Amino acid sequence: MTKIELVKAIAEETGVDQPTALVVVEAMMKTVKNAVIAGENVYLRGFGTFRLKLRAEKTARNIARNTSLVVPAHYIPSFKPCREFQDAVAQK
C-alpha cells in the first residue's frame, strides 16, 4: 500500500475528503519522525512503538579488497508492533 492508497482508504472510512486526509497523514508522519529524531519513543496503543535503537560498533569486512573496517556505533529508527498486531499477522 502506498501513501496515496492509505489516504484514499482513510478518506473512505472516515468520510473526510482526500486532501484533508492527506494533510493528516503527512502531519502524523512528520510528528512521529521528529519525535523519534529527538530521541522520544512514540507509543500508539493497538498498533506499536516507534523508537531509536543503538547499533553497537562492529568490524566489517571488504571481501573484494580483503580489508577490515570499523562501523561506528549509530542509531537506527525501529518499529515494534504490539502483541495484538503480531498475533493478527501470525494468524494470516
Side-chain angles (χ1 to χ4, degrees):
M1 177 177 272
T2 65
K3 183 167 55 169
I4 295 300
E5 292 169 339
L6 178 64
V7 167
K8 286 179 183 177
I10 291 171
E12 288 176 10
E13 188 167 328
T14 61
V16 299
D17 58 346
Q18 286 186 17
T20 303
L22 177 62
V23 169
V24 171
V25 168
E26 288 182 349
M28 186 258 189
M29 290 178 2
K30 181 180 178 183
T31 303
V32 169
K33 183 170 60 172
N34 289 339
V36 172
I37 288 170
E40 299 176 46
N41 292 339
V42 178
Y43 302 101
L44 301 174
R45 293 203 188 273
F47 188 68
T49 303
F50 294 91
R51 61 185 175 166
L52 283 180
K53 275 188 166 181
L54 178 63
R55 287 280 169 101
E57 181 179 281
K58 67 179 180 178
T59 303
R61 300 268 309 146
N62 183 341
I63 297 172
R65 293 185 180 169
N66 196 26
T67 59
S68 296
L69 60 116
V70 175
V71 177
H74 60 282
Y75 288 96
I76 60 166
S78 171
F79 173 73
K80 182 179 180 190
C82 71
R83 173 68 61 192
E84 295 85 25
F85 190 1
Q86 289 176 348
D87 292 343
V89 170
Q91 292 176 3
K92 178 80 173 132

